[in-house]
């Protein structure tokens, strides 16, 4: 098995080295996948329910899908080979015959018939070196009846000219059909346009080569999936003469992009029809049409930097626009899609400098949107509604330089009734300047429309503003920016002592702080993080121990300082194995599990209570040191039950009977004595 795997691996490496073009690389992969069926067999993928087949690349092979539709694997002779009755695979090379005879052997018998009618047979049977892009039989069948009738009714001129446009007077293998190249056809030297894509698809005038490299004595045949026509107009000319693109024509002129569409290039334009423009609210459309910068961004968002025919798309792929951002160009069965929507109404209108695909929906990039439009197009519908109900629409639709902090939908809990306090809260989710998250720094203060200052905290894996951390990339609009955040921001309404006194869960803690003489410390304008024991945490202790602890200010201070540190750590800044330095001198071990913060295995019951001089995290147990040889991988797991101290063993030391905790407190006492000396 290992030898076989090694051999296959070497074969893959060797064939990858030999393959010189994307098509050749895919062909070699298809040969490797088909080799178990005999020599010169290629694996093909056929879309179920259709006759469309593709040589298979790695991605398609494993996904068994093309354009989102399931495929079946078929095994056929690779180009240039044929079967022999009674033998496995395709051992025989096809006999070399002239182009006319080759057409009948490769599934282009209709092209062969029309070559007879147009008196082209003698030319393609005779001497010379030709490349014939021969339409398949199905390609002729799919040609509109009126066009086909016009061709065959004048076989000596129109049909002959059409066939000559499919021919080049030299031999061109798929290897020589380079991306973006043009070759002079045998019809008045009119150019045919080649595109050779990275996924192995090769097109000529947007017709896909379905059977490439069929060699003949006097040239080569490439079977294509449609009848191609001569191209004479650039993209601007096509837009100028199409009444369905009248609004787009006016917009291009207003944005000064007409010259670009007349010059040489290989662009892809997704052209919104008049109907597409009419679907946009008139106020929005007038705003964009009247703003040269927004209009240019909008139009450039509809133009890709490279040319992509519809047949080149076999799966969703992000592609860069002239506006600088990406469009997801994909397909769903027979339909080409944009950003997952099947809005393309007509494809492959080929021009000398690119291709036009008509779309029935206008694409508005973020850079052309107001702040409210940014929010409406994002997953923050609850926040959007709250901003509007709070009366902030004039700010969110104007030209002010602002930054919106938009909480995700699940950040809102309970009833979202608009009250004066809620209105104030929402105004504190809009900053008075346009910012980039990349320019934020630790300790920075940001002013809100509500007049508050919000603090910025930078952590290794998160960037937070007060208790809320940024959950998505910036969305940059015409004048303003939107940050999506994971929580509703709760601005601080007092210092740590104010917050504790206002919360009935901390009555015992407030008394303990006063007993320990730490009130002044926690009123200082420093920055603290306090893992604050609730009443339940103190009540968890045996009553005699709790009484002795509350009567001993020195050790009570040590216990509280083991829960307190001089730095700001919001829950969003906690990652696996975060260590936190306490005022007592030892470090706490923090972790995150199932969205819950654990400190020395104690779960935080209520995180991110913001204060002007720090942050409070409520814990329902007194935090104790971890065992010396604790498995740190478990530091973010549930806490082991605290060991209660039996009353029979309790002595005058009370709470300090826990050896580990005693060690910590003794360390604190030694430091205090040392400082006094």
């Amino acid at each position: 098995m290992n030898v076989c795997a090694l051999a296959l691996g070497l074969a893959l490496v060797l064939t990858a080295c030999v393959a010189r073009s994307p098509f050749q690389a895919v062909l070699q992969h298809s040969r490797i996948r088909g080799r178990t069926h005999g020599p010169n067999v290629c694996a093909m993928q056929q879309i179920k329910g259709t006759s469309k087949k593709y040589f298979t690349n790695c991605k398609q092979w494993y996904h068994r899908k093309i354009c989102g539709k399931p495929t079946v694997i078929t095994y056929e002779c690779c180009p240039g080979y044929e079967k022999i009755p009674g033998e496995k695979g395709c051992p025989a090379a096809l006999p070399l015959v002239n182009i006319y005879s080759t057409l009948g052997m490769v599934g282009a018998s209709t092209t062969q018939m029309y070559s007879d009618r147009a008196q082209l047979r003698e030319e393609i049977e005779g001497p010379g070196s030709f490349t014939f892009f021969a339409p398949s039989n199905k390609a002729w069948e799919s040609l509109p009846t009126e066009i086909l009738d016009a061709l065959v009714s004048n076989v000596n001129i129109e049909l002959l000219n059409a066939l000559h446009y499919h021919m080049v007077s030299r031999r061109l293998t798929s290897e020589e059909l380079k991306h973006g190249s043009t070759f002079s056809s045998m019809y008045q030297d009119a150019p045919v346009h080649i595109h050779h894509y990275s996924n192995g698809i090769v097109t000529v005038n947007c017709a896909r080569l379905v059977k490439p490299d069929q060699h003949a004595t006097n040239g080569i045949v490439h079977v294509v999936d449609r009848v191609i026509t001569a191209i004479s107009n650039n993209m601007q000319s096509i837009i100028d003469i199409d009444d369905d693109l009248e609004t787009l024509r006016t917009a291009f002129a207003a944005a000064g992009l007409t010259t670009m569409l007349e010059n040489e290039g290989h662009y892809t334009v997704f052209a919104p029809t008049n109907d597409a423009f009419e679907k946009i609210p008139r106020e929005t459309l007038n705003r964009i049409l009247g703003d040269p910068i927004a209009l240019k961004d909008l139009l450039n968002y509809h133009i890709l930097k490279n040319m992509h025919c519809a047949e080149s798309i076999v799966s969703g792929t992000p592609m860069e626009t002239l506006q600088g951002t990406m469009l997801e160009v994909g397909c769903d069965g027979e339909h080409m899609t944009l950003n997952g929507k099947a809005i393309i109404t007509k494809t492959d209108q080929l021009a000398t400098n690119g291709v036009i695909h008509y779309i029935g929906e206008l694409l508005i990039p973020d850079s052309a949107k107001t702040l409210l439009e940014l929010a409406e197009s994002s997953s923050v519908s609850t926040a959007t509604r709250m901003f509007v109900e709070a009366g902030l629409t004039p700010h969110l639709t104007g030209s002010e330089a602002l930054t919106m902090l938009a909480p995700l939908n699940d950040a809102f809990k309970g009833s979202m009734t608009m009250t004066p306090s809620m209105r104030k809260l929402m105004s504190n989710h809009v900053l008075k300047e346009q910012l980039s998250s990349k320019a934020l720094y630790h300790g920075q203060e940001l002013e809100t429309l509500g007049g508050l200052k919000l603090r910025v905290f930078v952590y290794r894996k998160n960037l937070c503003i007060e208790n809320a951390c940024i959950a998505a990339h910036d969305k940059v609009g015409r004048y303003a920016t939107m940050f999506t955040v994971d929580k509703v921001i709760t601005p601080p309404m007092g210092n740590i002592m104010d917050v504790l006194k206002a919360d009935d869960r901390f009555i015992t803690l407030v008394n303990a702080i006063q007993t320990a003489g730490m009130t002044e410390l926690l009123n200082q304008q420093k920055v603290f993080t306090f893992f604050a024991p609730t009443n339940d945490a103190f009540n968890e202790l045996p009553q005699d121990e709790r009484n002795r602890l509350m009567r001993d200010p020195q050790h009570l201070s040590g216990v509280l300082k083991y829960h307190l540190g001089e730095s700001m750590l919001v829950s969003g800044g906690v990652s696996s194995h975060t260590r936190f330095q306490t005022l007592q001198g030892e470090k706490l071990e923090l972790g995150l599990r199932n969205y819950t913060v654990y400190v020395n295995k104690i779960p935080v019951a209520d995180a991110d209570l913001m204060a002007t001089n720090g942050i409070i995290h409520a814990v329902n147990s007194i935090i104790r040191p971890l065992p010396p040889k604790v498995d740190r991988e478990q530091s973010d797991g549930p806490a082991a039950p605290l060991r209660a101290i039996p009353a029979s063993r309790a002595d005058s030391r009370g709470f300090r009977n826990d050896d580990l905790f005693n060690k910590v407190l003794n360390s604190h006492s030694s430091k205090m004595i040392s400082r006094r000396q």
Side-chain angles (χ1 to χ4, degrees):
M1 178 65 76
N2 290 338
V3 173
C4 292
L6 179 60
L8 179 59
L10 288 172
L12 285 168
V13 172
L14 290 173
T15 52
C17 294
V18 172
R20 291 161 291 176
S21 70
F23 169 71
Q24 288 294 330
V26 172
L27 178 64
Q28 291 288 8
H29 185 88
S30 291
R31 291 177 70 98
I32 291 171
R33 295 295 177 185
R35 64 173 48 182
T36 56
H37 291 259
N40 305 312
V41 174
C42 284
M44 307 285 289
Q45 290 208 52
Q46 180 174 345
I47 300 177
K48 286 184 179 180
T50 75
S51 59
K52 296 186 74 169
K53 295 179 182 178
Y54 296 80
F55 294 100
T56 181
N57 60 29
C58 291
K59 183 177 180 181
Q60 292 164 358
W61 177 263
Y62 289 110
H63 287 139
R64 293 291 201 275
K65 284 187 177 181
I66 292 174
C67 284
K69 300 301 180 183
T71 61
V72 293
I73 303 297
T74 63
Y75 295 93
E76 302 180 5
C77 292
C78 296
Y81 295 91
E82 66 177 346
K83 291 180 176 294
I84 295 178
E87 295 194 27
K88 187 177 181 181
C90 306
L94 282 171
L96 277 183
V97 293
N98 59 51
I99 285 180
Y100 178 82
S101 298
T102 301
L103 291 173
M105 298 168 57
V106 297
S109 57
T110 305
T111 300
Q112 186 185 51
M113 177 189 69
Y114 285 138
S115 297
D116 254 334
R117 289 194 190 182
Q119 299 181 3
L120 181 63
R121 176 173 179 172
E122 182 179 353
E123 184 176 359
I124 59 178
E125 281 184 331
S129 181
F130 308 106
T131 296
F132 203 145
F133 298 106
S136 66
N137 294 343
K138 188 175 181 181
W140 287 105
E141 292 172 7
S142 61
L143 199 64
T145 304
E146 62 274 14
I147 296 177
L148 183 59
D149 288 346
L151 288 175
V152 299
S153 65
N154 192 348
V155 293
N156 292 332
I157 299 176
E158 297 299 336
L159 184 58
L160 180 61
N161 288 344
L163 292 172
H164 269 152
Y165 186 63
H166 289 75
M167 296 175 63
V168 175
S169 59
R170 54 181 284 202
R171 182 190 298 265
L172 294 169
T173 66
S174 62
E175 192 74 19
E176 296 167 291
L177 299 176
K178 305 294 185 183
H179 187 69
S181 59
T182 59
F183 298 97
S184 297
S185 73
M186 293 176 61
Y187 167 63
Q188 298 181 354
D189 289 332
V192 291
H193 300 265
I194 305 297
H195 289 87
H196 195 143
Y197 298 94
S198 60
N199 58 9
I201 300 292
V202 184
T203 63
V204 51
N205 285 21
C206 285
R208 180 169 69 94
L209 274 61
V210 292
K211 289 186 179 179
D213 294 332
Q214 308 294 328
H215 290 267
T217 55
N218 59 343
I220 193 166
V221 175
H222 302 289
V223 181
V224 296
D225 66 351
R226 73 180 72 168
V227 178
I228 62 176
T229 56
I231 302 162
S232 58
N233 292 329
N234 58 44
M235 287 192 289
Q236 184 59 46
S237 297
I238 292 175
I239 293 171
D240 282 341
I241 61 177
D242 195 330
D243 290 340
D244 282 342
L245 303 179
E246 182 180 358
T247 307
L248 180 63
R249 178 166 62 248
T250 302
F252 273 128
L257 295 176
T258 301
T259 302
M260 182 193 75
L261 298 177
E262 294 173 338
N263 294 337
E264 291 185 3
H266 296 279
Y267 300 111
T268 301
V269 174
F270 295 104
T273 62
N274 298 337
D275 289 342
F277 279 97
E278 290 176 4
K279 292 177 183 178
I280 301 299
R282 180 54 54 183
E283 182 181 353
T284 299
L285 185 58
N286 288 341
R287 175 182 62 79
I288 294 175
L289 292 176
D291 182 345
I293 294 176
L295 179 59
K296 190 170 184 178
D297 272 0
L298 179 139
L299 295 174
N300 280 335
Y301 188 57
H302 290 75
I303 305 175
L304 300 181
K305 288 186 173 182
N306 299 299
M307 180 173 160
H308 289 275
C309 300
E311 285 293 331
S312 73
I313 308 300
V314 294
S315 62
T317 307
M319 298 183 183
E320 189 174 3
T321 67
L322 291 185
Q323 184 259 347
T325 54
M326 310 298 281
L327 273 179
E328 180 77 14
V329 183
C331 51
D332 182 10
E334 296 289 327
H335 302 287
M336 196 173 176
T337 62
L338 284 181
N339 292 342
K341 296 181 178 180
I343 59 174
I344 297 178
T345 58
K346 185 163 63 174
T347 62
D348 293 343
Q349 303 303 297
L350 199 61
T352 56
N353 56 347
V355 66
I356 298 174
H357 306 297
Y358 288 44
I359 60 176
E361 188 173 305
L362 192 66
L363 307 173
I364 303 180
D366 288 346
S367 59
K369 292 179 180 179
T370 64
L371 202 45
L372 183 59
E373 289 166 348
L374 288 178
E376 289 173 339
S377 62
S378 304
S379 56
V380 291
S381 56
T382 303
T384 304
R385 175 174 61 83
M386 299 301 290
F387 281 124
V388 172
E389 291 181 4
L392 295 172
T393 301
H395 293 287
L396 307 185
T397 56
S399 58
E400 294 176 82
L402 301 171
T403 301
M404 174 194 287
L405 307 177
L408 293 167
N409 288 340
D410 59 7
F412 291 91
K413 309 297 182 183
S415 175
M416 292 294 107
T417 304
M418 186 52 59
T419 61
S421 61
M422 179 61 74
R423 188 172 291 108
K424 182 73 171 179
L425 178 65
M426 297 311 296
S427 71
N428 284 321
H429 281 72
V430 182
L431 306 176
K432 283 187 174 181
E433 57 184 316
Q434 185 177 14
L435 298 165
S436 165
S437 62
K438 294 180 180 179
L440 299 181
Y441 57 89
H442 193 76
Q444 185 178 5
E445 290 190 338
L446 311 172
E447 188 175 359
T448 71
L449 287 181
L452 290 184
K453 294 288 185 69
L454 303 181
R455 299 161 294 183
V456 176
F457 308 112
V458 179
Y459 303 101
R460 185 174 297 277
K461 294 184 179 180
N462 254 336
L463 177 62
C464 306
I465 299 173
E466 292 297 334
N467 58 304
C469 298
I470 295 176
H473 293 297
D474 303 3
K475 294 180 76 70
V476 182
R478 175 66 180 92
Y479 301 103
T481 299
M482 187 183 88
F483 297 164
T484 302
V485 294
D486 62 353
K487 295 183 180 71
V488 176
I489 291 174
T490 53
M493 302 307 292
N495 63 28
I496 286 178
M497 286 305 297
D498 295 329
V499 174
L500 293 175
K501 289 177 180 178
D503 193 327
D504 288 343
R505 292 176 298 175
F506 301 113
I507 293 174
T508 306
L509 177 60
V510 170
N511 291 333
I513 290 170
Q514 293 169 343
T515 299
M518 293 174 58
T519 303
E520 183 178 349
L521 173 68
L522 295 178
N523 278 324
Q524 292 178 7
Q525 286 306 308
K526 292 185 177 180
V527 179
F528 298 104
T529 296
F530 198 173
F531 294 96
T534 61
N535 300 335
D536 290 341
F538 285 97
N539 292 336
E540 187 181 71
L541 299 173
Q543 185 173 355
D544 58 341
E545 293 183 34
R546 183 169 69 252
N547 292 339
R548 283 192 290 271
L549 178 64
M550 297 298 285
R551 288 196 298 265
D552 190 336
Q554 182 178 352
H555 287 287
L556 181 57
S557 174
V559 170
L560 295 180
K561 288 182 178 179
Y562 188 64
H563 293 68
L564 182 68
E566 278 191 359
S567 62
M568 189 80 174
L569 184 62
V570 302
S571 60
V574 176
S575 57
S576 180
H577 311 314
T578 299
R579 305 190 77 198
F580 179 76
Q581 182 73 47
T582 68
L583 291 183
Q584 181 274 335
E586 301 295 324
K587 291 182 179 179
L588 301 176
E589 293 280 348
L590 279 75
L592 190 65
R593 192 175 192 180
N594 296 330
Y595 304 103
T596 298
V597 174
Y598 286 83
V599 51
N600 282 17
K601 293 189 178 183
I602 302 296
V604 171
D606 191 3
D608 301 330
L609 307 176
M610 308 305 293
T612 56
N613 63 340
I615 186 170
I616 297 167
H617 304 294
V619 291
N620 288 331
S621 296
I622 300 295
I623 300 172
R624 298 175 182 269
L626 292 170
K629 294 184 179 180
V630 68
D631 179 3
R632 296 308 188 201
E633 294 296 329
Q634 302 301 319
S635 64
D636 57 351
L642 283 173
R643 178 165 57 86
I645 303 171
S648 61
R649 294 179 55 194
D651 57 16
S652 59
R653 291 178 297 170
F655 185 82
R656 287 165 283 155
N657 196 48
D658 185 307
D659 290 339
L660 285 170
F661 210 41
N662 190 41
K663 177 181 177 182
V664 172
L665 297 184
N666 286 340
S667 171
H668 169 70
S669 299
S670 298
K671 291 176 183 176
M672 292 295 293
I673 293 170
S674 175
R675 287 173 187 163
R676 289 169 184 164
Q677 290 175 343

